[in-house]
């Protein structure tokens, strides 16, 4: 395996944006080029992007955010506080706090769903969209409605919507997903 660039070699700073009283943490680096916003998936946080950040920071003003409910961002109690429009507002608040303007937006998994929604609802904030591990929402809805294989593959997500689902998520099991000895 080749040596990966280290975040230690880059000035990384941590800041907060505010969306209607919800504090949103983000890590940022890079001072040249257009803004680039990275949105993590489930159950990750900004650190997911640690290997990409050093290389991208050479060309972009980079922000890797913690979504609400994750890591150092606020964790509102009400289910309604996690509606897609509020999550889109969170990304918009981070973009604004980091200088505003049209941004390259990268989303992975659940962050990809939010990135798709941002590009649809707030296109003036998006100069380019990169979505990893999630098809266009209309394609996903089509497959969920008609494709038994996709229905089976997505069943785990419905399980997360059941009362008490959070009890099934154990920290020790989630930490086992990390294969980086330095993490």
């Amino acid at each position: 395996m080749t040596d990966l660039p280290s975040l230690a070699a880059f000035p990384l700073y941590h800041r907060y944006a505010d969306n209607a009283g919800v504090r949103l943490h983000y890590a940022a680096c890079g001072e040249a080029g257009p803004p680039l916003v990275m949105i993590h998936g489930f159950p990750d946080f900004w650190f997911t992007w640690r290997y990409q950040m050093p290389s991208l920071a050479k060309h972009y003003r980079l922000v890797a955010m913690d979504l609400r409910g994750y890591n150092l961002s606020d964790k509102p109690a009400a289910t309604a506080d996690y509606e897609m429009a509020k999550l889109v507002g969170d990304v918009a608040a981070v973009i604004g706090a980091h200088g505003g303007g049209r941004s390259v937006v990268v989303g992975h998994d659940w962050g990809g769903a939010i990135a798709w929604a941002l590009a649809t609802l707030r296109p003036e904030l998006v100069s380019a969209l990169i979505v990893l591990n999630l098809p266009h929402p209309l394609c996903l809805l089509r497959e969920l409605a008609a494709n038994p294989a996709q229905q089976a593959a997505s069943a785990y997500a419905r399980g997360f919507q059941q009362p008490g689902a959070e009890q099934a998520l154990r920290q020790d099991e989630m930490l086992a997903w990390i294969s980086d000895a330095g993490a």
Side-chain angles (χ1 to χ4, degrees):
M1 180 175 190
T2 60
D3 289 332
L4 295 170
S6 168
L7 281 176
F10 291 84
L12 179 70
Y13 56 93
H14 297 266
R15 299 282 189 273
Y16 287 86
D18 180 86
N19 182 22
V22 175
R23 272 178 40 120
L24 302 157
H25 170 262
Y26 63 92
C29 58
E31 297 181 12
L36 185 146
V37 177
M38 303 179 95
I39 311 168
H40 65 83
F42 174 84
D44 300 321
F45 63 107
W46 77 266
F47 194 67
T48 294
W49 304 106
R50 68 191 176 281
Y51 294 129
Q52 292 77 27
M53 290 175 77
S55 295
L56 291 170
K58 296 174 187 175
H59 307 284
Y60 295 94
R61 290 181 294 118
L62 179 72
V63 170
M65 65 182 292
D66 285 335
L67 292 168
R68 63 174 60 203
Y70 293 81
N71 195 35
L72 300 177
S73 288
D74 284 351
K75 297 157 185 66
T79 302
D81 287 328
Y82 294 88
E83 292 173 350
M84 186 59 77
K86 292 188 179 182
L87 301 174
V88 166
D90 291 348
V91 180
V94 168
I95 290 171
H98 195 63
R102 292 171 57 87
S103 300
V104 175
V105 178
V106 180
H108 172 255
D109 186 56
W110 176 237
I114 298 166
W116 280 117
L118 179 75
T120 301
L121 300 173
R122 299 290 308 272
E124 75 279 7
L125 296 177
V126 180
S127 63
L129 179 65
I130 302 165
V131 177
L132 309 167
N133 199 31
L134 189 78
H136 187 278
L138 294 177
C139 296
L140 180 58
L141 287 173
R142 179 193 67 220
E143 293 303 305
L144 286 171
N147 183 335
Q150 185 62 59
Q151 293 165 358
S154 297
Y156 76 96
R158 283 187 292 284
F160 290 137
Q161 298 171 15
Q162 302 305 312
E166 73 281 1
Q167 301 301 320
L169 298 174
R170 294 189 17 220
Q171 184 178 14
D172 59 328
E173 290 176 352
M174 294 172 78
L175 288 173
W177 294 356
I178 299 173
S179 60
D180 182 352

